[in-house]
């Protein structure tokens, strides 16, 4: 999750929202905090893309798709990328179930192999999955990623010698509010993470300590502005949503080079930060 970002999948707001009218119709049903502003969302996304491209990443764009809604701007969630191909998810949020098939079709068009697909009772979302290293995948057990989903991931990743470590998440504000594992932690280097410590499960905190991973704490007042959702473009080279000055100062003190963008329309309304907006497919 921290090697140099080479290739990444995004979706433009205009292709996710489809029209201002559709965005206005969907935002309440999908539990957004408010309706995104169409023009500002497009402008803010372009600012974000510029940071990725300047850092050397090739950007692939998901096309518009009738099976998806405004949540599809958050391309991180419907899939997991491994060294052997992509695992396509059945999302825990029912309204997002079309995103996995839409992602799979796009991957086939790009010639990117698909390793497996979660079906039946198994649900998972990318926001609950954190690669601690190349052979250790943390899997948040949440309202979005269930027990059968984690077991299916173990079946798929076991032959790749990947250990899937379940991490139980708290109830927090209930099933209608998104609480992913990455709501409390983002990896920024092999030995550095930004965290909201109050939400860290004790076994995960102890594992991070055992691994010698330095923790940069997000203050209470910056949790809701998504300060824990930080995307690594390379080790200690990161991008975050503007408006989290204390966290930024702490990241820079830990040796990070920080870029910022305006996330007020593409991040805050849907509670998805820069990591959520991206599905990295090649790092290294």
């Amino acid at each position: 999750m921290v090697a140099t970002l080479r290739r990444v999948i995004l979706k433009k707001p205009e292709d996710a929202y489809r029209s201002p009218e559709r965005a206005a119709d969907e935002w309440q049903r999908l539990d957004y905090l408010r309706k995104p502003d169409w023009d500002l969302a497009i402008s803010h996304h372009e600012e974000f893309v510029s940071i990725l491209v300047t850092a050397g990443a090739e950007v692939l764009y998901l096309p518009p798709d009738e099976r998806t809604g405004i949540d599809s701007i958050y391309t991180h969630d419907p899939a997991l990328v491994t060294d052997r191909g992509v695992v396509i998810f059945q999302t825990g949020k029912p309204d997002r179930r079309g995103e996995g098939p839409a992602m799979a079709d796009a991957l086939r068009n790009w010639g990117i192999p698909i390793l497996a697909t979660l079906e039946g009772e198994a649900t998972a979302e990318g926001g609950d999955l954190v690669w601690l290293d190349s052979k250790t995948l943390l899997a948040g057990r949440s309202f979005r990623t269930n027990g059968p989903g984690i077991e299916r991931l173990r079946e798929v990743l076991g032959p790749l010698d990947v250990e899937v470590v379940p991490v139980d998440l708290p109830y927090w504000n209930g099933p209608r509010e998104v609480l992913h594992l990455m709501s409390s932690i983002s990896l920024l280097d092999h030995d550095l993470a930004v965290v909201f410590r109050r939400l860290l499960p004790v076994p995960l905190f102890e594992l991070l300590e055992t691994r010698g991973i330095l923790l940069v704490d997000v203050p209470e007042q910056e949790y809701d502005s998504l300060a824990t959702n930080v995307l690594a473009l390379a080790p200690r080279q990161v991008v975050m949503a503007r408006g989290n000055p204390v966290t930024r100062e702490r990241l820079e003190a830990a040796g990070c080079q920080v870029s910022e963008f305006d996330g007020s329309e593409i991040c805050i309304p849907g509670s998805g930060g820069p990591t959520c907006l991206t599905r990295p497919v090649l790092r290294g």
Side-chain angles (χ1 to χ4, degrees):
M1 298 193 81
V2 300
T4 301
L5 185 62
R6 304 295 186 188
R7 200 179 195 197
V8 61
I9 296 172
L10 303 178
K11 192 167 187 178
K12 296 178 181 179
E14 58 266 41
D15 291 335
Y17 301 167
R18 304 299 299 277
S19 70
E21 294 75 21
R22 183 165 176 166
D25 180 61
E26 288 187 358
W27 72 272
Q28 288 179 305
R29 177 171 57 82
L30 295 177
D31 298 310
Y32 273 50
L33 299 178
R34 58 176 172 79
K35 182 183 73 172
D37 181 286
W38 174 272
D39 292 328
L40 285 177
I42 292 172
S43 174
H44 295 172
H45 197 265
E46 289 173 349
E47 180 187 6
F48 177 60
V49 171
S50 177
I51 293 172
L52 303 186
V53 171
T54 300
E58 175 192 3
V59 176
L60 303 176
Y61 288 107
L62 287 174
D65 195 298
E66 283 294 336
R67 293 168 290 184
T68 67
I70 62 175
D71 272 332
S72 62
I73 193 174
Y74 301 124
T75 59
H76 196 82
D77 287 326
L80 176 75
V81 176
T82 79
D83 290 342
R84 301 287 180 85
V86 180
V87 183
I88 300 297
F89 292 152
Q90 177 172 239
T91 60
K93 188 174 183 177
D95 287 301
R96 300 187 68 178
R97 294 280 164 88
E99 292 180 35
M103 175 74 77
D105 287 348
L107 292 171
R108 293 187 187 99
N109 289 335
W110 291 320
I112 298 173
I114 295 172
L115 177 65
T117 300
L118 267 61
E119 299 173 329
E121 295 182 357
T123 67
E125 295 186 5
D128 279 326
L129 303 170
V130 173
W131 289 98
L132 198 55
D133 57 46
S134 63
K135 296 298 182 182
T136 309
L137 180 70
L138 304 177
R141 171 62 178 92
S142 70
F143 287 114
R144 304 295 184 86
T145 300
N146 63 13
I150 293 174
E151 287 306 310
R152 178 62 178 141
L153 281 171
R154 280 177 162 159
E155 293 173 5
V156 171
L157 300 180
L160 279 60
D161 296 323
V162 171
E163 179 186 9
V164 178
V165 180
V167 178
D168 289 337
L169 300 189
Y171 181 88
W172 194 235
N173 294 323
R176 294 192 66 85
E177 181 172 322
V178 58
L179 181 73
H180 283 140
L181 177 59
M182 294 189 72
S183 301
S184 61
I185 180 171
S186 292
L187 265 291
L188 310 178
D189 200 343
H190 300 289
D191 59 353
L192 182 70
V194 59
V195 301
F196 188 59
R197 197 175 297 235
R198 287 182 52 219
L199 274 177
L200 278 185
V202 171
L204 175 55
F205 171 75
E206 292 174 341
L207 176 59
L208 296 172
E209 275 202 322
T210 299
R211 293 290 188 101
I213 296 175
L214 175 67
L215 304 183
V216 175
D217 286 291
V218 168
E220 188 90 21
Q221 68 271 22
E222 292 183 0
Y223 176 75
D224 287 340
S225 49
L226 307 178
T228 55
N229 196 298
V230 180
L231 175 68
L233 304 175
R236 281 178 162 78
Q237 181 184 345
V238 306
V239 58
M240 65 188 302
R242 193 172 293 124
N244 297 293
V246 175
T247 303
R248 173 172 183 158
E249 182 179 350
R250 292 174 180 178
L251 291 174
E252 290 174 335
C256 289
Q257 176 186 338
V258 181
S259 298
E260 292 182 325
F261 69 102
D262 192 331
S264 60
E265 296 306 317
I266 55 176
C267 295
I268 301 301
S271 302
T275 302
C276 303
L277 291 166
T278 60
R279 170 36 66 196
V281 289
L282 181 63
R283 286 184 180 269

